[in-house]
Structure formats: C-alpha cells, structure tokens
Amino acid sequence: MDGTTALRVGWRRRWYAVAMATVAAGTVAVLADDAIRVAIAHPQIWLMTGLALVAGWITIVMLATPQRIPMVISPAICFTFAILLCWGLGPAILAQALALAVIAWRRRRPLAEAAQIWGQYTLAFLAAAAMLWLGDPDPFERDGPTHIASDAVTVLAAMIAWLLVFATVELLHAVVGRGTPLRCPGLRRVVANHVLFKAALLSMSPVLAVAAHINVGFVPLVFIPLYAVQRLARLSADRDQAARMDPLTGLANRAGLRNRFQELLADIPKSARPAPGAPTGLVLLMLDLDRFKHVNDSLGHDVGDRVLTAVANRLTMALPTTATVARLGGDEFAVLAASTDPGEAERLGSATLRALTDPVAIDGLQIDVSASLGIGHHAAGEDFGKLMRHADVAMYEAKKLGGSSVVTYSAIGDHNSPQRLHLIADLRDALLPTGAGQLALHYQPQVSLATGEVEGVEALLRWQHPRLGPIPPAELLTVAEHSSVMQQLTAYVVNEVVAQLAAWQAQGIQLRASLNVSVRDLYSDDLATHLARRLAEHGVPPSRLQVEITESALLADPSRVQATVNQIAALGCTIALDDFGTGYSSLQHLRRLPIGEVKLDRSFVAGMVDNPGDAAIIHSIVAMARLLGIRTVAEGVEDEPTRLALAAAGCTLVQGWITAPAMPAAELASWLVPRPPAYVTAV
C-alpha cells in the first residue's frame, strides 16, 4: 500500500469510526429516559448486564484469519440480545456498550475502537427491534398456539435481521474501516464464519429470556456449558494455530501456507476458472536470506532469531493485507498472493526486496540483510507442491546471480521439471537406431575475410521432435548437458562430423569442421580416445577437426579440463575457445592452453559498428591473437558494415547470416560450387 492509499484509508477509517459512534450515541440519547425507567422497574436487567460483563471478560475466542482481519467472539451477545427480547432496545444497547468496554479493556484496545464496534452492534439491534415492533411479541404474558407460533417467528425474524445488518456492516467495516478490497479472496468467507458464530450465540438468547422471566437465578447456570464450549474451542484453536503458524515469527508455516493456497484456489468462481495449464493468478514468492549463516555463526542463534523476527515484521508491514507471508523454516520465507494483474508478482517481489534494504538494528549493531527471490506462477491443474517447487527452482537460480536478484520460474531453467525429464528420455530415444531422422547436423560456413574462401564450417545440431517439432538448439543443449545423455550426444556428433569430413574428402572438398563439446565431456578421458578412434577409422587428418570449448567449461574445473584439452591437442586437432572475452580469465587460457582459434563473442561483434567500446575490444583481441599466432573467427555477423569493420580490424574469418545460414551437408556441397565472388574483401 503506497503513502497516498494509506492516507486515504486512514481518513476513511476515522470517518467510519466517528459515524458508528455517532449512531450509537444518538440512539442512546433518544432512548436513555426509557431505558432508565425500565431498569428501575425491572432489577433483573442489572443481573443480566452483569452476566454480560462477565461473559465479555472470561469467554473470549479470538480467531486469526489469513487476511489478518481480527475476529473476536464473545458470548456477551447471548445476554444483551436476551435483554432486548425482555426489556427493549435501550437497555440492550447500554448493556452491549458496557460489555464492549470490558472486552476492549481485556484486549488492551482503545475505547474509540469499542465505540465504533458499539455503533455497528447498535445498527444490528435497531434492525432486530424493528422486527420485534412489527410482530409485537409478548412471549411471557400471552399463550395459545397462535401466539406461541407468531412470537417464535417474530423472534426468529429479529435474529435474522440482526445477522443480516451485522454482516453488511462487517463488510463495510472491512472495506472502509480497514481498506480491505471487497474482492479480497476469502473476505466473504471470513464474514460468513463470523456471522455463523453470532447466529449460534443468538440462538441461546430466547432460552435465557425465558429463564430470566421465570427465575433469573437459573440464568448464571448457562456459564457452565458456555465455559466448556469456550475451553474446547480455545484448545482446538490453539492446536490449529500451532499446526499452521511459525512459533518464532507468528507467520504462517508451510502447512498454513498450503491451507491458504487451497482457500485462494476455492475462491476462484467456477465460471472464471481457467482451463488446465492456464494461469490461475496465484503466485508464490520464495526468498532466502543471503549469508544468514554468517549471522548465526558470528553473533549467535539468539541474534539470528531476532533478525528473522525483524524480517518477518518488515515483510508483513510492507506487503498488502491480501498477501500471505510465511516462514518455511530456517531463513526461508514465502509470500502467496492472488491477482489478475500479470505484473503483480514482479511488484510484490520489488516490494519484498525494498523492505530489506535498510539494515536491521540489533543492540546497536547494524546487520545488512538481503535476499534472493524466486517467483512461481500457478497453472490450473497443478498442486501446491508443484508451485512450491517452481518457486524454489527460481529462487536458487536467483541465488546463482547474487545481489538481491529476482528470477521468475521458467521450464527451460528447470533441469528437473517433468517436461525436461520427458525431453531427456525422448533425446535418448532419438539417439537409438529407431530414432533415425530426428537428429541432424547442419553446417555453417566460416569465410576468410582476406580471400572470400570457405576455410571451415561449424557443425550445429538440430532436433526435429516427432511431437513437439523443432527443439531450439539452446534448449536441446540445456536438456542434454545436465544429464548423462550429453556424452552419448557428443559421441553421435563426433561420429557424424568425422564421417562427413571423410565424405567431403572423397569429393575433393577440403574443409575444417568444428564441433562443440560440453564440460561433462571434458571431464572424461573417453573424448580424446573416441576422437582418435574415429579419425583413424575414416582416414581423416586430425588437422581437419576442431574442438570448440567454452570459457565457462574451463572455469568449472581447470585442472581436469586442461588434461583432456592437452590430449585432444596431442592428436593434432585444433582447440578453439568459444565466447572469447566474456570471462575474466581469458588471457591466462591463451597462455596455458594449446589454443589455435578464438571465436569473438557475438555480443561484441553485433555492437562494434555503433559502440566504440565493443570495437576497441575486437581490435585488441584480434591484435593480441595475431601476435600469438592464433586465428580469430567472428560469429553472428549479420550485415555488411560489421563485415567491413571486422576486415579492417584484421579478423581472420567471419561466420553468420551474411555469408550463409547453417545448412545440411548436401546443400553445403551445392552451395560451395561455384563460390560467389561477392564475399571477397579487399584488404
């Protein structure tokens, strides 16, 4: 809630409180004389009022709700409504005022709040009194079947009128007095539960009224069943609260969050429920405090608990009342909300991180708190566990990024999603003989900027899924590299590329082919052995084969990777360093590893014409590579100005749509003859 909205709600709350208190005071002013006369004539009223005060003091049941709307149930209404039935509106309103004052004192709430609630009760009592006036019941002096039935119907109508007005005023109080939106999920259910409790208590009032008329001494006996019911209700509420609430912070725990999810899901109208797989509007944010272990280790767990409590309070204050904040355990928190606005999740994420911007002050010590946050969106047909797993996956992706990052769940980034597992299984099937035709290699030419000749090609894998159609190459590699199927896929690529080099060699086409390997391949000695076996089997010179590795692969485990790279270089194959310049240790790779080619990352190439910084980086890399005797290849070259700029910088080869797209081997052979002269660059 922003400052303007909070100010507006504050003014509405004050005006509402004044209006309710005015209603109550005005009604009492009109009925005061009559109430005094009745009280003098019927001293039983004093006993009933005293019993209402006792009920307000010792039998209060408070039920916390997910929307943080307080619900206080007091049996005092049993006695005040009985006073209405026996002695009229004035004494009932005055007795209710005294009972509410006792309840406010017991709960340590301001009397102004009690006056506001008194006004709400007064409106309900006015409606009930109107029903009694219309029916003119006199249950104690008239008898006969007709009178008994009409009086019972009139009392029942008075109770219904009381409950209807009370429910209406409660909704008004939530919207105007608390600023809760009328469309707030669960609001109507909360009011309905409140009304249900009131109805149960009101149903005892006629019995008390009859008892008071016959012998008022029997009325206190009602406390025995009331107290027993209250104790059972309190024990049940305490057990339910303990099962759904985190004892340290007072927030919902995992069970409470699950229950709230089910409530929000049930709040979606049947007519508006989306089809399976479509978004429902429910979002779950999971955040994990960064470096919280250091707080516990250095300052102790007591300080850590105080930090967690402070974080819980900040989140509760910063987020809308419609959002449910929970602590899942340790330093993990969650926020569950429902909204039809697609951008609401991102706004909640921003508000959550802003709440943790300022340090937490503990005994004069300023403790910096930050968090990594993941967002999961619920789709129809999915359960709560799946939503939590999605948010959890996104949160750990955010932790990898660091720096109070926010990540929204994506199936592509989830290496363990059911969709991903199915794709891995399908990829294994595609590598079998029965899957022939699904996987294919396309080759993209690498053209010399000096001569315009095609000196090499890069082998790029394509997957035509029988059901999903073409799988994007990035997704294909992401699926494979996090599973053992990656090594099978690399073996397939090696077999196909070496066989194709042999076929081109038989046709008189002398090309160098590059293939990509993953870090998983570089961890095994099998790669070099497999390359040597296939090259010897097809009679292909090792110099015709180039192995591309990424700098991120080198950073994963340099010692293990370097051993495999040296073995491949010892075969006579060239080692190419892909995405060069994007890592922080590129220069030491050039010094330590047998690198024969560097590929200039497309992020620099695409901007070198318009961005002097990118151009300076390209010129520096090309000049350094030339001094080291290393070939340079610019990838992602899409236009003529970029090609000319690369030629001026002294780059060796270009690769991209300006030369040719990746194509099957048969198309490449046709494309090579004759060579278009337009690709020759004068230097």
Side-chain angles (χ1 to χ4, degrees):
M1 184 183 297
D2 58 31
T4 303
T5 304
L7 183 63
R8 185 165 58 250
V9 170
W11 275 107
R12 289 193 315 213
R13 182 184 297 117
R14 282 188 283 273
W15 279 110
Y16 178 82
V18 170
M20 290 295 105
T22 302
V23 167
T27 304
V28 169
V30 172
L31 300 174
D33 292 341
D34 181 66
I36 293 173
R37 286 195 303 270
V38 172
I40 294 173
H42 301 279
Q44 305 99 311
I45 295 177
W46 300 104
L47 177 61
M48 292 288 283
T49 302
L51 294 176
L53 301 185
V54 174
W57 177 262
I58 67 171
T59 56
I60 298 174
V61 178
M62 296 182 59
L63 300 176
T65 66
Q67 293 81 15
R68 298 191 287 275
I69 301 173
M71 185 160 63
V72 182
I73 308 299
S74 171
I77 189 64
C78 297
F79 301 95
T80 56
F81 198 84
I83 292 173
L84 171 69
L85 295 177
C86 292
W87 299 292
L89 181 62
I93 294 177
L94 287 175
Q96 188 65 55
L98 294 174
L100 288 171
V102 170
I103 294 172
W105 183 26
R106 184 78 169 85
R107 296 182 59 220
R108 295 181 175 84
R109 305 299 299 172
L111 286 178
E113 180 180 298
Q116 171 188 306
I117 299 173
W118 183 32
Q120 297 176 199
Y121 274 82
T122 298
L123 290 175
F125 274 113
L126 283 170
M131 290 293 103
L132 293 174
W133 179 78
L134 290 174
D136 192 22
D138 191 355
F140 310 117
E141 296 183 6
R142 299 189 300 174
D143 54 15
T146 303
H147 293 154
I148 291 174
S150 63
D151 290 348
V153 170
T154 300
V155 171
L156 181 61
M159 293 169 58
I160 293 173
W162 195 100
L163 293 170
L164 288 175
V165 173
F166 177 80
T168 302
V169 176
E170 273 294 290
L171 284 172
L172 184 66
H173 182 206
V175 174
V176 178
R178 300 189 188 98
T180 305
L182 187 61
R183 64 180 184 275
C184 170
L187 175 60
R188 286 185 292 274
R189 182 185 295 112
V190 171
V191 173
N193 289 339
H194 207 162
V195 170
L196 181 62
F197 278 108
K198 294 295 186 185
L201 294 172
L202 285 179
S203 65
M204 299 183 65
S205 298
V207 177
L208 291 177
V210 173
H213 180 73
I214 296 175
N215 187 342
V216 74
F218 291 127
V219 174
L221 296 178
V222 76
F223 276 104
I224 297 175
L226 278 179
Y227 183 75
V229 170
Q230 185 272 336
R231 291 300 300 168
L232 290 175
R234 185 180 293 276
L235 289 173
S236 176
D238 289 345
R239 283 196 298 267
D240 184 69
Q241 188 179 57
R244 302 184 182 186
M245 182 178 290
D246 173 53
L248 176 64
T249 62
L251 300 176
N253 59 12
R254 191 179 299 266
L257 195 66
R258 180 189 297 273
N259 182 72
R260 181 64 183 138
F261 167 80
Q262 293 169 345
E263 290 179 350
L264 291 177
L265 205 58
D267 278 330
I268 301 175
K270 290 184 178 179
S271 59
R273 290 181 182 176
T280 62
L282 303 185
V283 294
L284 180 65
L285 284 65
M286 289 186 66
L287 60 149
D288 184 85
L289 301 184
D290 299 327
R291 300 174 298 278
F292 182 75
K293 184 177 183 297
H294 299 321
V295 175
N296 280 334
D297 292 345
S298 57
L299 301 177
H301 288 274
D302 289 341
V303 174
D305 289 347
R306 293 168 66 184
V307 171
L308 292 174
T309 303
V311 168
N313 293 336
R314 288 191 182 185
L315 295 179
T316 303
M317 295 297 295
L319 298 177
T321 57
T322 53
T324 301
V325 184
R327 176 175 175 244
L328 304 180
D331 58 347
E332 280 193 352
F333 292 82
V335 180
L336 179 66
S339 175
T340 56
D341 185 352
E344 180 66 16
E346 286 69 23
R347 286 192 290 272
L348 278 175
S350 299
T352 300
L353 294 184
R354 281 198 305 271
L356 305 179
T357 301
D358 297 329
V360 175
I362 303 292
D363 297 333
L365 181 65
Q366 300 292 320
I367 301 175
D368 289 321
V369 178
S370 62
S372 301
L373 190 145
I375 300 174
H377 290 266
H378 179 254
E382 296 179 351
D383 59 10
F384 178 70
K386 191 168 187 178
L387 176 62
M388 281 201 68
R389 195 180 66 77
H390 287 177
D392 192 57
V393 168
M395 181 190 72
Y396 278 101
E397 289 296 320
K399 288 191 78 70
K400 292 178 184 178
L401 298 177
S404 298
S405 300
V406 178
V407 172
T408 300
Y409 173 81
S410 170
I412 294 177
D414 186 357
H415 308 313
N416 299 306
S417 68
Q419 295 89 341
R420 183 61 50 78
L421 295 176
H422 283 304
L423 276 181
I424 292 174
D426 292 343
L427 184 55
R428 284 196 178 94
D429 292 339
L431 288 166
L432 297 174
T434 55
Q438 293 187 37
L439 295 174
L441 287 173
H442 288 194
Y443 298 88
Q444 187 169 38
Q446 297 174 337
V447 178
S448 170
L449 283 168
T451 65
E453 295 297 324
V454 178
E455 294 189 5
V457 293
E458 181 181 2
L460 301 171
L461 189 62
R462 299 291 185 261
W463 183 15
Q464 183 69 28
H465 194 282
R467 180 171 49 86
L468 302 176
I471 303 297
E475 184 174 354
L476 167 58
L477 293 177
T478 304
V479 167
E481 68 183 352
H482 293 281
S483 69
S484 59
V485 78
M486 187 68 222
Q487 290 172 305
Q488 301 175 44
L489 190 62
T490 299
Y492 166 83
V493 172
V494 169
N495 295 343
E496 292 294 313
V497 170
V498 174
Q500 187 59 57
L501 284 172
W504 282 333
Q505 184 173 279
Q507 299 173 33
I509 301 175
Q510 304 296 327
L511 288 177
R512 178 182 61 253
S514 300
L515 59 88
N516 294 272
V517 296
S518 73
V519 63
R520 184 183 289 269
D521 300 312
L522 296 174
Y523 283 168
S524 172
D525 296 335
D526 295 340
L527 178 59
T529 303
H530 188 68
L531 284 171
R533 185 181 299 118
R534 289 295 174 262
L535 289 169
E537 178 184 334
H538 290 280
V540 174
S543 59
R544 295 291 182 190
L545 186 65
Q546 180 168 275
V547 176
E548 293 189 12
I549 60 177
T550 61
E551 192 170 0
S552 59
L554 296 176
L555 293 175
D557 191 337
S559 59
R560 291 177 66 185
V561 169
Q562 185 169 358
T564 303
V565 169
N566 289 337
Q567 291 175 7
I568 295 172
L571 295 175
C573 299
T574 306
I575 301 296
L577 189 56
D578 200 4
D579 300 333
F580 185 78
T582 58
Y584 66 88
S585 56
S586 299
L587 295 181
Q588 76 165 339
H589 296 329
L590 297 181
R591 179 175 61 85
R592 295 171 52 192
L593 297 172
I595 303 297
E597 177 182 289
V598 294
K599 300 192 74 172
L600 307 176
D601 189 75
R602 64 181 65 240
S603 61
F604 298 128
V605 173
M608 70 175 298
V609 174
D610 301 318
N611 190 321
D614 288 347
I617 291 173
I618 293 293
H619 279 266
S620 300
I621 294 175
V622 170
M624 178 178 58
R626 184 186 297 118
L627 290 173
L628 294 172
I630 296 174
R631 185 171 56 246
T632 53
V633 180
E635 55 184 352
V637 182
E638 311 294 344
D639 53 62
E640 184 66 13
T642 302
R643 188 180 70 84
L644 293 174
L646 289 166
C651 183
T652 313
L653 304 170
V654 292
Q655 174 183 342
W657 278 84
I658 193 173
T659 58
M663 63 190 84
E667 292 183 19
L668 178 66
S670 301
W671 181 83
L672 288 171
V673 183
R675 285 288 301 118
Y679 292 102
V680 179
T681 303
V683 292

